Structures are given as structure tokens and as C-alpha cells.
Amino acid sequence: MIMVIGGACENKVQTVIKLFSVDPSEIVDGRKCNLEEVMKSRCISNFHFLIKRIFELGKDTDEFVKRFCNQNSKAIIIMDEIGCGVVPIKKNDRKMREAVGRAGCIIAENSKYAVRVCCGINTFIKGNNYEN
């Protein structure tokens, strides 16, 4: 598994396409894909929105992410880092943000590589010497 994280609008998708030779047709969007699609897709962008959708359905996000890591262990996960900013006023928004943070921790733990992208520049924060 590969995790790619960074702030919004940091060129994460383009970094994944270039760095890991991913065809854009292999990327599903966590904002709108179905859960079965996620379990077999090579690359999922906006994974933080997928977690938000699951959270809003009242489902256990940790359980989903653990099952995802077991079923799709070769996936490339692209997600925004949402924990660095103003803390939401609404309790439910804080809980959702916590769920996304825990999801990121579970994915990072299960990933061979973790990459942070800032201003379109990638830095490996876990693993190195990636080979296609």
C-alpha cells in the first residue's frame, strides 16, 4: 500500500500519476465511488471524503479502513491532511475530522511507502527507493 498525503491543491494526483506510473483511468474519486469499487481500485483519490461519507452514514470508519487495508493491500491512497488548521466549532465536525485522522494513521501503518506532497514536491516519509 502507498499513502500520499498533503494539503488541498498540492498536486497530489499529478504526483501519483508521475511517480507511480498510474493511468488517470485507474483513479477513483472517494467523493462519489461506491464501496465495492474502492476495495478493488488501484488508486483512490479524496480518500478523506470517502471516510466522511462513511462517517455520515453512521458506520464504523476504523473497521472500514482496516477491512480496506486487508482487501486492497496494493492500493495507492491519496488524501488531504485535514488536521492542521482551525478546529471546527461543531462537535460532529470535530468527530469526523478525528475519524479521518485515525483512518490516515491506519493507512500509514499498513503502507510500505508514505509520501507527503507540498507545492508539488514529494518527500518520502516512510520507505524509500520506490521501484515500479
Side-chain angles (χ1 to χ4, degrees):
M1 185 168 282
I2 299 171
M3 176 184 196
V4 178
I5 192 162
C9 307
E10 294 286 354
N11 234 11
K12 293 181 295 294
V13 172
Q14 281 66 31
T15 298
V16 165
I17 289 169
K18 182 179 172 184
L19 190 61
F20 302 113
S21 302
V22 173
D23 188 279
S25 68
E26 297 177 289
I27 304 171
V28 298
D29 189 337
R31 283 182 263 207
K32 56 188 173 190
C33 63
N34 65 52
L35 300 184
E36 292 77 35
E37 217 176 353
V38 169
M39 294 299 180
K40 54 188 172 194
S41 294
R42 178 170 183 217
C43 183
I44 301 97
S45 68
N46 295 309
F47 199 82
H48 55 290
F49 282 119
L50 175 65
I51 298 303
K52 181 180 180 183
R53 289 173 44 211
I54 294 167
F55 177 84
E56 289 173 346
L57 291 171
K59 298 190 184 241
D60 186 334
T61 55
D62 288 359
E63 178 61 35
F64 171 81
V65 175
K66 289 173 185 174
R67 187 166 44 91
F68 168 77
C69 289
N70 286 328
Q71 289 184 15
N72 196 351
S73 62
K74 298 201 185 270
I76 300 171
I77 309 306
I78 304 169
M79 61 189 295
D80 284 1
E81 188 173 16
I82 65 165
C84 302
V86 177
V87 177
I89 293 173
K90 294 180 182 176
K91 183 177 183 177
N92 205 45
D93 291 345
R94 290 192 303 271
K95 286 183 174 184
M96 188 280 300
R97 186 166 124 163
E98 176 68 24
V100 171
R102 281 194 316 275
C105 290
I106 294 166
I107 291 167
E109 181 181 315
N110 285 278
S111 292
K112 184 173 182 178
Y113 302 101
V115 181
R116 170 171 274 135
V117 179
C118 181
C119 300
I121 299 170
N122 62 281
T123 304
F124 279 78
I125 56 177
K126 181 179 182 183
N128 55 20
N129 300 325
Y130 176 79
E131 296 178 21
N132 272 337

